[in-house]
Every structure is written in structure tokens, then in C-alpha cells.
mmCIF file of all heavy atoms in Angstrom:
data_model
loop_
_atom_site.group_PDB
_atom_site.id
_atom_site.type_symbol
_atom_site.label_atom_id
_atom_site.label_comp_id
_atom_site.label_asym_id
_atom_site.label_seq_id
_atom_site.Cartn_x
_atom_site.Cartn_y
_atom_site.Cartn_z
ATOM 1 N N ARG A 1 -4.391 0.159 -7.314
ATOM 2 C CA ARG A 1 -5.009 1.529 -7.092
ATOM 3 C C ARG A 1 -6.118 1.782 -8.058
ATOM 4 O O ARG A 1 -6.078 1.225 -9.172
ATOM 5 C CB ARG A 1 -3.900 2.620 -7.121
ATOM 6 C CG ARG A 1 -3.273 2.805 -8.506
ATOM 7 C CD ARG A 1 -2.078 3.742 -8.350
ATOM 8 N NE ARG A 1 -2.450 5.088 -7.979
ATOM 9 C CZ ARG A 1 -1.593 6.015 -7.560
ATOM 10 N NH1 ARG A 1 -0.300 5.733 -7.420
ATOM 11 N NH2 ARG A 1 -2.012 7.147 -7.227
ATOM 12 N N ASP A 2 -6.983 2.658 -7.668
ATOM 13 C CA ASP A 2 -8.065 3.134 -8.521
ATOM 14 C C ASP A 2 -7.960 4.643 -8.458
ATOM 15 O O ASP A 2 -8.465 5.325 -7.504
ATOM 16 C CB ASP A 2 -9.423 2.634 -7.961
ATOM 17 C CG ASP A 2 -10.571 3.077 -8.910
ATOM 18 O OD1 ASP A 2 -10.419 4.026 -9.640
ATOM 19 O OD2 ASP A 2 -11.650 2.431 -8.802
ATOM 20 N N ASN A 3 -7.366 5.236 -9.490
ATOM 21 C CA ASN A 3 -7.146 6.739 -9.483
ATOM 22 C C ASN A 3 -8.489 7.510 -9.543
ATOM 23 O O ASN A 3 -8.491 8.602 -9.017
ATOM 24 C CB ASN A 3 -6.240 7.065 -10.569
ATOM 25 C CG ASN A 3 -4.811 6.566 -10.391
ATOM 26 O OD1 ASN A 3 -4.385 6.333 -9.275
ATOM 27 N ND2 ASN A 3 -4.098 6.433 -11.485
ATOM 28 N N ALA A 4 -9.438 6.931 -10.183
ATOM 29 C CA ALA A 4 -10.737 7.620 -10.231
ATOM 30 C C ALA A 4 -11.322 7.802 -8.827
ATOM 31 O O ALA A 4 -12.090 8.768 -8.574
ATOM 32 C CB ALA A 4 -11.704 6.858 -11.085
ATOM 33 N N LYS A 5 -11.005 6.895 -7.897
ATOM 34 C CA LYS A 5 -11.494 6.951 -6.546
ATOM 35 C C LYS A 5 -10.449 7.442 -5.581
ATOM 36 O O LYS A 5 -10.691 7.505 -4.367
ATOM 37 C CB LYS A 5 -11.971 5.528 -6.093
ATOM 38 C CG LYS A 5 -13.134 5.032 -6.931
ATOM 39 C CD LYS A 5 -13.540 3.649 -6.392
ATOM 40 C CE LYS A 5 -14.741 3.070 -7.181
ATOM 41 N NZ LYS A 5 -15.138 1.722 -6.698
ATOM 42 N N ASN A 6 -9.248 7.766 -6.062
ATOM 43 C CA ASN A 6 -8.152 8.235 -5.221
ATOM 44 C C ASN A 6 -7.902 7.221 -4.077
ATOM 45 O O ASN A 6 -7.742 7.574 -2.947
ATOM 46 C CB ASN A 6 -8.453 9.596 -4.613
ATOM 47 C CG ASN A 6 -8.266 10.670 -5.684
ATOM 48 O OD1 ASN A 6 -7.503 10.618 -6.630
ATOM 49 N ND2 ASN A 6 -9.067 11.775 -5.508
ATOM 50 N N THR A 7 -7.918 5.956 -4.484
ATOM 51 C CA THR A 7 -7.848 4.862 -3.457
ATOM 52 C C THR A 7 -6.788 3.920 -3.838
ATOM 53 O O THR A 7 -6.672 3.543 -5.070
ATOM 54 C CB THR A 7 -9.202 4.161 -3.311
ATOM 55 O OG1 THR A 7 -10.196 5.112 -2.827
ATOM 56 C CG2 THR A 7 -9.096 3.039 -2.249
ATOM 57 N N VAL A 8 -6.040 3.451 -2.851
ATOM 58 C CA VAL A 8 -5.097 2.400 -3.039
ATOM 59 C C VAL A 8 -5.394 1.200 -2.164
ATOM 60 O O VAL A 8 -6.013 1.393 -1.106
ATOM 61 C CB VAL A 8 -3.585 2.861 -2.733
ATOM 62 C CG1 VAL A 8 -3.456 3.256 -1.253
ATOM 63 C CG2 VAL A 8 -2.589 1.880 -3.159
ATOM 64 N N TYR A 9 -5.087 0.044 -2.706
ATOM 65 C CA TYR A 9 -5.535 -1.218 -1.952
ATOM 66 C C TYR A 9 -4.302 -2.033 -1.626
ATOM 67 O O TYR A 9 -3.306 -1.989 -2.412
ATOM 68 C CB TYR A 9 -6.515 -1.990 -2.823
ATOM 69 C CG TYR A 9 -7.735 -1.268 -3.250
ATOM 70 C CD1 TYR A 9 -7.824 -0.686 -4.481
ATOM 71 C CD2 TYR A 9 -8.848 -1.097 -2.354
ATOM 72 C CE1 TYR A 9 -8.930 0.062 -4.871
ATOM 73 C CE2 TYR A 9 -9.953 -0.389 -2.767
ATOM 74 C CZ TYR A 9 -9.958 0.134 -4.031
ATOM 75 O OH TYR A 9 -11.071 0.900 -4.376
ATOM 76 N N LEU A 10 -4.381 -2.875 -0.657
ATOM 77 C CA LEU A 10 -3.356 -3.878 -0.358
ATOM 78 C C LEU A 10 -4.075 -5.123 -0.027
ATOM 79 O O LEU A 10 -4.729 -5.264 0.996
ATOM 80 C CB LEU A 10 -2.456 -3.427 0.830
ATOM 81 C CG LEU A 10 -1.276 -4.289 1.064
ATOM 82 C CD1 LEU A 10 -0.277 -4.256 -0.109
ATOM 83 C CD2 LEU A 10 -0.572 -3.941 2.362
ATOM 84 N N GLN A 11 -3.952 -6.114 -0.923
ATOM 85 C CA GLN A 11 -4.508 -7.473 -0.731
ATOM 86 C C GLN A 11 -3.480 -8.242 0.006
ATOM 87 O O GLN A 11 -2.391 -8.484 -0.508
ATOM 88 C CB GLN A 11 -4.930 -8.085 -2.046
ATOM 89 C CG GLN A 11 -5.525 -9.436 -1.921
ATOM 90 C CD GLN A 11 -6.906 -9.399 -1.351
ATOM 91 O OE1 GLN A 11 -7.697 -8.563 -1.742
ATOM 92 N NE2 GLN A 11 -7.197 -10.333 -0.415
ATOM 93 N N LEU A 12 -3.840 -8.780 1.152
ATOM 94 C CA LEU A 12 -2.989 -9.589 1.999
ATOM 95 C C LEU A 12 -3.533 -11.018 1.932
ATOM 96 O O LEU A 12 -4.653 -11.240 2.306
ATOM 97 C CB LEU A 12 -2.998 -9.075 3.456
ATOM 98 C CG LEU A 12 -2.295 -7.775 3.808
ATOM 99 C CD1 LEU A 12 -3.043 -6.610 3.196
ATOM 100 C CD2 LEU A 12 -2.254 -7.587 5.310
ATOM 101 N N THR A 13 -2.667 -11.953 1.545
ATOM 102 C CA THR A 13 -3.013 -13.403 1.477
ATOM 103 C C THR A 13 -1.958 -14.119 2.170
ATOM 104 O O THR A 13 -0.861 -13.664 2.439
ATOM 105 C CB THR A 13 -3.215 -13.847 0.014
ATOM 106 O OG1 THR A 13 -1.998 -13.753 -0.682
ATOM 107 C CG2 THR A 13 -4.253 -13.044 -0.690
ATOM 108 N N SER A 14 -2.269 -15.404 2.490
ATOM 109 C CA SER A 14 -1.376 -16.301 3.180
ATOM 110 C C SER A 14 -0.722 -15.609 4.364
ATOM 111 O O SER A 14 0.462 -15.705 4.540
ATOM 112 C CB SER A 14 -0.278 -16.788 2.161
ATOM 113 O OG SER A 14 -0.833 -17.461 1.098
ATOM 114 N N LEU A 15 -1.598 -15.013 5.124
ATOM 115 C CA LEU A 15 -1.095 -14.218 6.297
ATOM 116 C C LEU A 15 -0.386 -15.128 7.309
ATOM 117 O O LEU A 15 -0.788 -16.225 7.582
ATOM 118 C CB LEU A 15 -2.181 -13.469 6.924
ATOM 119 C CG LEU A 15 -2.588 -12.157 6.104
ATOM 120 C CD1 LEU A 15 -3.955 -11.646 6.467
ATOM 121 C CD2 LEU A 15 -1.580 -11.077 6.332
ATOM 122 N N LYS A 16 0.631 -14.519 7.927
ATOM 123 C CA LYS A 16 1.406 -15.186 9.005
ATOM 124 C C LYS A 16 1.308 -14.351 10.219
ATOM 125 O O LYS A 16 1.146 -13.106 10.177
ATOM 126 C CB LYS A 16 2.861 -15.294 8.564
ATOM 127 C CG LYS A 16 3.074 -15.960 7.181
ATOM 128 C CD LYS A 16 4.520 -15.889 6.775
ATOM 129 C CE LYS A 16 4.800 -16.536 5.463
ATOM 130 N NZ LYS A 16 6.183 -16.494 5.041
ATOM 131 N N PRO A 17 1.521 -14.973 11.395
ATOM 132 C CA PRO A 17 1.555 -14.199 12.673
ATOM 133 C C PRO A 17 2.524 -13.000 12.663
ATOM 134 O O PRO A 17 2.235 -11.988 13.226
ATOM 135 C CB PRO A 17 1.896 -15.255 13.683
ATOM 136 C CG PRO A 17 1.409 -16.536 13.153
ATOM 137 C CD PRO A 17 1.626 -16.424 11.672
ATOM 138 N N GLU A 18 3.585 -13.186 11.895
ATOM 139 C CA GLU A 18 4.629 -12.125 11.862
ATOM 140 C C GLU A 18 4.162 -10.946 11.042
ATOM 141 O O GLU A 18 4.823 -9.963 10.955
ATOM 142 C CB GLU A 18 5.944 -12.600 11.324
ATOM 143 C CG GLU A 18 5.896 -13.432 10.102
ATOM 144 C CD GLU A 18 5.877 -14.953 10.390
ATOM 145 O OE1 GLU A 18 5.091 -15.333 11.304
ATOM 146 O OE2 GLU A 18 6.577 -15.692 9.654
ATOM 147 N N ASP A 19 3.043 -11.066 10.350
ATOM 148 C CA ASP A 19 2.438 -9.954 9.592
ATOM 149 C C ASP A 19 1.658 -9.014 10.538
ATOM 150 O O ASP A 19 1.155 -7.958 10.049
ATOM 151 C CB ASP A 19 1.527 -10.439 8.448
ATOM 152 C CG ASP A 19 2.286 -11.165 7.410
ATOM 153 O OD1 ASP A 19 3.348 -10.713 6.981
ATOM 154 O OD2 ASP A 19 1.813 -12.195 6.948
ATOM 155 N N THR A 20 1.474 -9.410 11.761
ATOM 156 C CA THR A 20 0.726 -8.569 12.700
ATOM 157 C C THR A 20 1.341 -7.229 12.930
ATOM 158 O O THR A 20 2.594 -7.215 13.214
ATOM 159 C CB THR A 20 0.582 -9.313 14.068
ATOM 160 O OG1 THR A 20 -0.178 -10.511 13.876
ATOM 161 C CG2 THR A 20 -0.059 -8.448 15.145
ATOM 162 N N ALA A 21 0.636 -6.134 12.669
ATOM 163 C CA ALA A 21 1.202 -4.883 12.790
ATOM 164 C C ALA A 21 0.085 -3.811 12.523
ATOM 165 O O ALA A 21 -1.078 -4.243 12.078
ATOM 166 C CB ALA A 21 2.271 -4.629 11.759
ATOM 167 N N VAL A 22 0.353 -2.612 12.714
ATOM 168 C CA VAL A 22 -0.471 -1.486 12.285
ATOM 169 C C VAL A 22 0.045 -1.140 10.878
ATOM 170 O O VAL A 22 1.232 -0.900 10.700
ATOM 171 C CB VAL A 22 -0.347 -0.249 13.179
ATOM 172 C CG1 VAL A 22 -1.217 0.918 12.615
ATOM 173 C CG2 VAL A 22 -0.865 -0.612 14.575
ATOM 174 N N TYR A 23 -0.851 -1.111 9.899
ATOM 175 C CA TYR A 23 -0.562 -0.845 8.535
ATOM 176 C C TYR A 23 -0.852 0.592 8.214
ATOM 177 O O TYR A 23 -2.024 1.009 8.446
ATOM 178 C CB TYR A 23 -1.250 -1.837 7.605
ATOM 179 C CG TYR A 23 -0.624 -3.135 7.632
ATOM 180 C CD1 TYR A 23 -0.677 -4.004 8.752
ATOM 181 C CD2 TYR A 23 0.085 -3.604 6.513
ATOM 182 C CE1 TYR A 23 -0.105 -5.262 8.726
ATOM 183 C CE2 TYR A 23 0.671 -4.889 6.524
ATOM 184 C CZ TYR A 23 0.583 -5.732 7.616
ATOM 185 O OH TYR A 23 1.178 -6.949 7.613
ATOM 186 N N TYR A 24 0.042 1.298 7.626
ATOM 187 C CA TYR A 24 -0.110 2.727 7.238
ATOM 188 C C TYR A 24 0.028 2.901 5.745
ATOM 189 O O TYR A 24 0.861 2.310 5.149
ATOM 190 C CB TYR A 24 0.937 3.580 7.960
ATOM 191 C CG TYR A 24 0.959 3.543 9.470
ATOM 192 C CD1 TYR A 24 1.665 2.625 10.171
ATOM 193 C CD2 TYR A 24 0.256 4.499 10.203
ATOM 194 C CE1 TYR A 24 1.691 2.563 11.507
ATOM 195 C CE2 TYR A 24 0.216 4.464 11.546
ATOM 196 C CZ TYR A 24 1.021 3.478 12.208
ATOM 197 O OH TYR A 24 0.954 3.506 13.609
ATOM 198 N N CYS A 25 -0.871 3.816 5.254
ATOM 199 C CA CYS A 25 -0.611 4.166 3.863
ATOM 200 C C CYS A 25 0.106 5.500 3.815
ATOM 201 O O CYS A 25 -0.024 6.276 4.794
ATOM 202 C CB CYS A 25 -1.917 4.199 3.015
ATOM 203 S SG CYS A 25 -3.087 5.407 3.504
ATOM 204 N N ALA A 26 0.791 5.801 2.768
ATOM 205 C CA ALA A 26 1.596 7.025 2.635
ATOM 206 C C ALA A 26 1.515 7.589 1.241
ATOM 207 O O ALA A 26 1.336 6.844 0.272
ATOM 208 C CB ALA A 26 3.005 6.676 3.026
ATOM 209 N N PHE A 27 1.672 8.891 1.155
ATOM 210 C CA PHE A 27 1.497 9.671 -0.100
ATOM 211 C C PHE A 27 2.800 10.400 -0.430
ATOM 212 O O PHE A 27 3.433 10.987 0.393
ATOM 213 C CB PHE A 27 0.379 10.622 0.199
ATOM 214 C CG PHE A 27 0.100 11.655 -0.907
ATOM 215 C CD1 PHE A 27 -0.777 11.291 -1.937
ATOM 216 C CD2 PHE A 27 0.764 12.880 -0.935
ATOM 217 C CE1 PHE A 27 -1.029 12.203 -2.937
ATOM 218 C CE2 PHE A 27 0.513 13.788 -1.930
ATOM 219 C CZ PHE A 27 -0.387 13.495 -2.912
ATOM 220 N N ARG A 28 3.106 10.298 -1.720
ATOM 221 C CA ARG A 28 4.309 10.957 -2.183
ATOM 222 C C ARG A 28 3.987 11.618 -3.555
ATOM 223 O O ARG A 28 3.801 10.940 -4.547
ATOM 224 C CB ARG A 28 5.404 9.891 -2.431
ATOM 225 C CG ARG A 28 6.669 10.398 -3.063
ATOM 226 C CD ARG A 28 7.704 9.320 -3.154
ATOM 227 N NE ARG A 28 8.531 9.431 -4.248
ATOM 228 C CZ ARG A 28 9.433 10.418 -4.498
ATOM 229 N NH1 ARG A 28 9.639 11.299 -3.632
ATOM 230 N NH2 ARG A 28 10.100 10.449 -5.585
ATOM 231 N N PRO A 29 3.880 12.927 -3.554
ATOM 232 C CA PRO A 29 3.523 13.691 -4.773
ATOM 233 C C PRO A 29 4.658 13.894 -5.749
ATOM 234 O O PRO A 29 5.119 15.019 -5.925
ATOM 235 C CB PRO A 29 2.974 15.041 -4.205
ATOM 236 C CG PRO A 29 3.827 15.194 -3.020
ATOM 237 C CD PRO A 29 4.060 13.846 -2.396
ATOM 238 N N ALA A 30 5.093 12.779 -6.234
ATOM 239 C CA ALA A 30 6.289 12.883 -7.176
ATOM 240 C C ALA A 30 6.292 11.667 -8.058
ATOM 241 O O ALA A 30 5.473 10.725 -7.921
ATOM 242 C CB ALA A 30 7.574 12.998 -6.315
ATOM 243 N N ILE A 31 7.265 11.674 -8.991
ATOM 244 C CA ILE A 31 7.389 10.534 -9.869
ATOM 245 C C ILE A 31 8.024 9.324 -9.194
ATOM 246 O O ILE A 31 8.615 9.443 -8.149
ATOM 247 C CB ILE A 31 8.226 10.956 -11.115
ATOM 248 C CG1 ILE A 31 9.660 11.302 -10.661
ATOM 249 C CG2 ILE A 31 7.576 12.084 -11.841
ATOM 250 C CD1 ILE A 31 10.618 11.566 -11.864
ATOM 251 N N TRP A 32 7.825 8.213 -9.860
ATOM 252 C CA TRP A 32 8.429 6.966 -9.323
ATOM 253 C C TRP A 32 9.912 7.010 -9.339
ATOM 254 O O TRP A 32 10.574 7.503 -10.279
ATOM 255 C CB TRP A 32 7.929 5.842 -10.359
ATOM 256 C CG TRP A 32 8.333 4.472 -9.902
ATOM 257 C CD1 TRP A 32 9.325 3.719 -10.392
ATOM 258 C CD2 TRP A 32 7.745 3.665 -8.868
ATOM 259 N NE1 TRP A 32 9.399 2.432 -9.788
ATOM 260 C CE2 TRP A 32 8.366 2.403 -8.817
ATOM 261 C CE3 TRP A 32 6.670 3.922 -7.931
ATOM 262 C CZ2 TRP A 32 8.080 1.438 -7.902
ATOM 263 C CZ3 TRP A 32 6.355 2.861 -7.009
ATOM 264 C CH2 TRP A 32 7.017 1.691 -7.055
ATOM 265 N N MET A 33 10.504 6.554 -8.277
ATOM 266 C CA MET A 33 12.008 6.576 -8.159
ATOM 267 C C MET A 33 12.512 5.221 -7.654
ATOM 268 O O MET A 33 13.445 5.203 -6.802
ATOM 269 C CB MET A 33 12.409 7.713 -7.233
ATOM 270 C CG MET A 33 12.109 9.075 -7.787
ATOM 271 S SD MET A 33 12.678 10.444 -6.810
ATOM 272 C CE MET A 33 14.430 10.243 -6.950
ATOM 273 N N GLY A 34 11.992 4.146 -8.175
ATOM 274 C CA GLY A 34 12.509 2.841 -7.940
ATOM 275 C C GLY A 34 12.586 2.519 -6.416
ATOM 276 O O GLY A 34 11.663 2.785 -5.726
ATOM 277 N N ASP A 35 13.738 1.949 -6.069
ATOM 278 C CA ASP A 35 13.894 1.459 -4.708
ATOM 279 C C ASP A 35 13.840 2.579 -3.662
ATOM 280 O O ASP A 35 13.601 2.299 -2.471
ATOM 281 C CB ASP A 35 15.266 0.792 -4.547
ATOM 282 C CG ASP A 35 15.196 -0.668 -5.052
ATOM 283 O OD1 ASP A 35 14.101 -1.087 -5.480
ATOM 284 O OD2 ASP A 35 16.227 -1.336 -4.940
#
């Protein structure tokens, strides 16, 4: 993530056919809570 740009990234490598999907980002205005 780059907080100055309010942007999060996901680098996908070694892609497989089973990775085919619609990818969504999501926002949670709270502290980290592990799993």
C-alpha cells in the first residue's frame, strides 16, 4: 500500500488458470485483527 496515495496494490505472479476471477478490494476502517 501507499498511504500517501490512498492506494493498495496486489502483485500477482506465477498465475494459474484457477486464479481466474473478478478481484475486489475492500475497506475496513478499524485496527488490524489478525485472521
